[in-house]
Amino acid sequence: MLVALILLVPLAAAAVSATVTWRRGVGWLGVGSLAGVLAGGVALAARVEHRPAITAWGGALRADALSAFMVVVIGAIGLLATWQSVRYLDAQIATGHCSRRHATLYAVLVQGFIAAMLLAVLAGNVGVMWVAVEATTIITTFLVGHRQTRGALEASWKYVIICSVGIALAFLGTVLVYLAALHAGAGTHATLDWTSLMALSHHLDPGVMRLAMALLVLGYGTKVGLAPMHSWLPDAHSQAPAPVSALMSGVLLTVAFYALLRFKAIADGALGVAFPRALFVTAGLLSLVIAASLLLSQRDYKRMLAYHSVEHMGLIALGAAAGTPLAMAAVLLHILGHGLAKGVLFLASGEILLVEGTTEIDQVKALLARRPALGGIFAFGLVALLGLPPFSLFVSELNMARAEVRVGLGWVVALSLACMAVIFGAVLSHGRHLLFGARGEGEAAHRTPSIVTVPLVGALVGCAALGVLAWPLDGLLRAAAQVLVR
Amino acid sequence: MSGPTYTSALELAAGLVILCAVVTLWRRSLSAIVKALAVQGVALGAVALILGLHQRDGVLVTVGCLVIVAKGAAIPTLLARVLASDRRGRETAPLVNVPASLVGAGALTFLAYGATRPVVALVATGAGRLIPLGFATLLIGFFSMVVRRKAASQIVGLLLVDNGIALVAFLATAGVPLLVELGASLDVLLVVVVLRVLAVHLWSKFAVLDLDQLRELHD
């Protein structure tokens, strides 16, 4: 019941938003819907943390600790993004860039996008999950192109073409898993259920599973933004409206990664850990190298953040490659920490674009002096993203590295540290330019409205709290990691 | 349907799928390419239909009919509308010329036979031997997306990839469960609609239909 309810909340909000013309109240309804999702996620987590998975709708929906954790992630970052959407749409309408009809469309699509992501993590069946992930591509295409500029349309084109090919490969991978499951003796129904696939995993044909896993890593990896299929990501994330960038970077990438984590658990059973580990290490290292080499030359702060996503997806791929319970718990914590930090940064960058009118790093100077609150949020966001204490990304990166060393991937840790050092330097030099400096003669410091500061500061405090206190997530993370490791 | 008729009908339909993929590389007129794609859609539906009749599986027969309607008629019609907004209607400057593309298609077919050996070994039925053709169609689709520069050609490449995958799905497992199959087909239809909307926007606002003109975003 609870599982179905979580899914119905954003759908109901979408239906209501579609029937009335846009006004602020509709925006707050969206925020309320996400608050409901977050509360539902917490309630779900409390129910499944120590108990077996619960199902609904005849097994079509299924929630275990891992799904509950992902619902919490979607709820938390979705709450931030819808909160800022109110501000974004107000500003767009005030400047005449966007009609009320367009604002309505935006509100409906955002709720639909959230519902599709929730379906992906709550689906009990790999086929339904695939359909949900593909639905996110179709919905977000219109959100990426929402500003209707040439750049935005170009980004949407690349996004839908590249991600459709990727997701098609993931479908082929799913078909091959189905084939292997049929031959391993499962009945014709239920062969695509997580539960039966996990139970069967030791009997799946290794030859077919090897091909399937390679296709799945390539296919879902496209949506995750893992190299070599990452090229859509910087364009889409830099051209989309800021709240959409925050959702896409903060949660959509990791929802696709969730699919990979589930399939990896099955492949580990069928093939042993070596082959999936090799795939994840290759994709992860390649992503880190590409992020490091391209971050140096970025002149646009939204593209800089986008390449940062490629880096972090690479890091969690390496963590998942290690695959121990410690590593998986760290991967999941990193998913939440990265989502919060990246969400804050993209939303702050949307506010910078709004008040400064440019996304060029060169054009924005001395943010800390001129706009102390906004500059401060951006600065702390960068600190969090670079993996410095007290933020949770420090803890999760440290634990992933520890786990990797323990399974004999020390050389991978060494290489990834080298890439991270380059990225650290690049972001530091970009950030210094953006943040520091003195304000002009006679220019007063600008205030930033509380609709921006309250949610973003709240998210940063949350991210720091997760880094300092193990409670309240510790038990849930352990339980979720246990789902993936046997 | 049984015995030799079944086998040869299945081989004919699957062969037609890959033949159409090769035709899309060979022809440069976009309208001819769309026609080849329509024939491919019908052939793909026929594969499902033949399998369904052979196994007396009503669901599969229904899926086959739906595939013929969607991929043989609906999607090609949508594509033809995209082309109507483009006056020149020819793939002017592919990065790789036609003879080289055809050689490439041959090489990709070999690759497909190599890569699918474990799958063919597992299926071990008459239909299973044809699985490499699906993989070859997929690889040709990939190839054509990389070397062709027209927006419409990229949609064609995407559809080839998708048809190849559908062929593998039918031959290997006699179709994944109906819900998933319908979801997948609906998605493709939606993607084509989305791409059409984008193409119309790009064309009417910025007069762009060659991807070489999409150069605003780069590093």
Side-chain angles (χ1 to χ4, degrees), chain A residues 89-444:
Chain A
L89 288 175
D90 268 353
Q92 290 284 304
I93 290 174
T95 52
H97 280 112
C98 164
S99 66
R100 275 175 197 280
R101 231 187 85 231
H102 246 90
T104 303
L105 182 68
Y106 175 95
V108 173
L109 286 176
V110 165
Q111 295 294 326
F113 177 28
I114 301 278
M117 288 195 289
L118 288 171
L119 179 60
V121 299
L122 291 172
N125 171 307
V126 288
V128 176
M129 181 189 70
W130 180 87
V131 171
V133 173
E134 169 69 13
T136 61
T137 310
I138 292 171
I139 296 172
T140 45
T141 304
F142 290 108
L143 287 171
V144 170
H146 189 252
R147 292 189 300 137
Q148 300 264 317
T149 57
R150 182 169 173 159
L153 289 173
E154 180 183 336
S156 326
W157 179 273
K158 277 192 199 166
Y159 174 58
V160 74
I161 286 275
I162 296 175
C163 284
S164 298
V165 171
I167 211 73
L169 294 181
F171 184 66
L172 185 55
T174 308
V175 168
L176 293 181
V177 171
Y178 178 67
L179 171 71
L182 276 181
H183 280 264
T188 37
H189 55 278
T191 16
L192 285 175
D193 284 357
W194 287 124
T195 327
S196 39
L197 282 176
M198 283 298 273
L200 274 175
S201 64
H202 291 285
H203 308 288
L204 300 174
D205 181 81
V208 173
M209 279 305 291
R210 215 167 277 142
L211 190 57
M213 199 54 202
L215 287 166
L216 287 165
V217 169
L218 201 59
Y220 281 119
T222 309
K223 285 285 285 190
V224 179
L226 288 174
M229 301 279 276
H230 66 284
S231 60
W232 62 272
L233 191 147
D235 295 343
H237 288 192
S238 63
Q239 292 299 314
V244 176
S245 308
L247 274 176
M248 289 177 72
S249 180
V251 257
L252 180 56
L253 302 183
T254 46
V255 165
F257 197 78
Y258 158 90
L260 277 183
L261 285 177
R262 292 269 190 195
F263 277 113
K264 181 173 180 295
I266 296 167
D268 282 347
L271 303 169
V273 290
F275 182 75
R277 178 175 289 165
L279 286 177
F280 276 71
V281 165
T282 312
L285 279 182
L286 206 55
S287 307
L288 277 172
V289 169
I290 283 183
S293 55
L294 289 172
L295 256 170
L296 279 172
S297 59
Q298 288 311 311
R299 287 191 301 273
D300 178 319
Y301 53 80
K302 283 187 90 176
R303 286 184 84 84
M304 173 182 91
L305 295 178
Y307 275 109
H308 233 295
S309 303
V310 177
E311 179 215 347
H312 282 274
M313 293 306 118
L315 284 176
I316 63 171
L318 294 180
T324 58
L326 170 70
M328 286 305 183
V331 163
L332 295 175
L333 181 61
H334 201 75
I335 284 176
L336 179 58
H338 169 257
L340 286 172
K342 190 54 71 61
V344 165
L345 279 169
F346 264 120
L347 295 171
S349 74
E351 183 66 20
I352 298 175
L353 173 62
L354 184 70
V355 292
E356 302 280 337
T358 175
T359 57
E360 298 270 317
I361 294 173
D362 289 345
Q363 308 281 318
V364 183
K365 283 195 184 76
L367 212 53
L368 274 175
R370 288 164 48 233
R371 302 178 188 278
L374 186 58
I377 289 170
F378 200 82
F380 275 109
L382 281 183
V383 169
L385 208 58
L386 288 172
L388 298 176
F391 294 100
S392 75
L393 287 93
F394 172 72
V395 182
S396 49
E397 281 176 15
L398 196 66
N399 280 337
M400 285 194 288
R402 273 175 54 199
E404 285 157 27
V405 171
R406 217 173 283 171
V407 297
L409 291 175
W411 61 278
V412 172
V413 176
L415 283 176
S416 65
L417 280 177
C419 290
M420 283 164 73
V422 174
I423 291 169
F424 194 93
V427 171
L428 220 56
S429 84
H430 292 321
R432 198 182 55 193
H433 186 95
L434 207 65
L435 293 167
F436 296 111
R439 63 170 178 262
E441 280 294 308
E443 187 187 355

Side-chain angles (χ1 to χ4, degrees), chain B residues 169-214:
Chain B
F170 289 139
L171 293 173
T173 64
V176 282
L178 184 65
L179 176 67
V180 179
E181 181 60 46
L182 288 183
S185 308
L186 189 67
D187 275 329
V188 181
L189 199 62
L190 282 175
V191 165
V192 175
V193 173
V194 168
L195 285 170
R196 187 175 156 244
V197 171
L198 285 176
V200 168
H201 268 299
L202 279 168
W203 175 243
S204 62
K205 283 196 175 163
F206 307 108
V208 171
L209 258 182
D210 276 11
L211 296 175
D212 288 337
Q213 290 169 269
L214 291 182

Side-chain angles (χ1 to χ4, degrees), chain A residues 6 32-44 68 71-77 79:
Chain A
I6 290 173
S33 144
L34 263 298
V37 169
L38 182 56
V42 172
L44 191 62
V71 173
V72 171
V73 173
I74 295 171
I77 291 120
L79 184 63

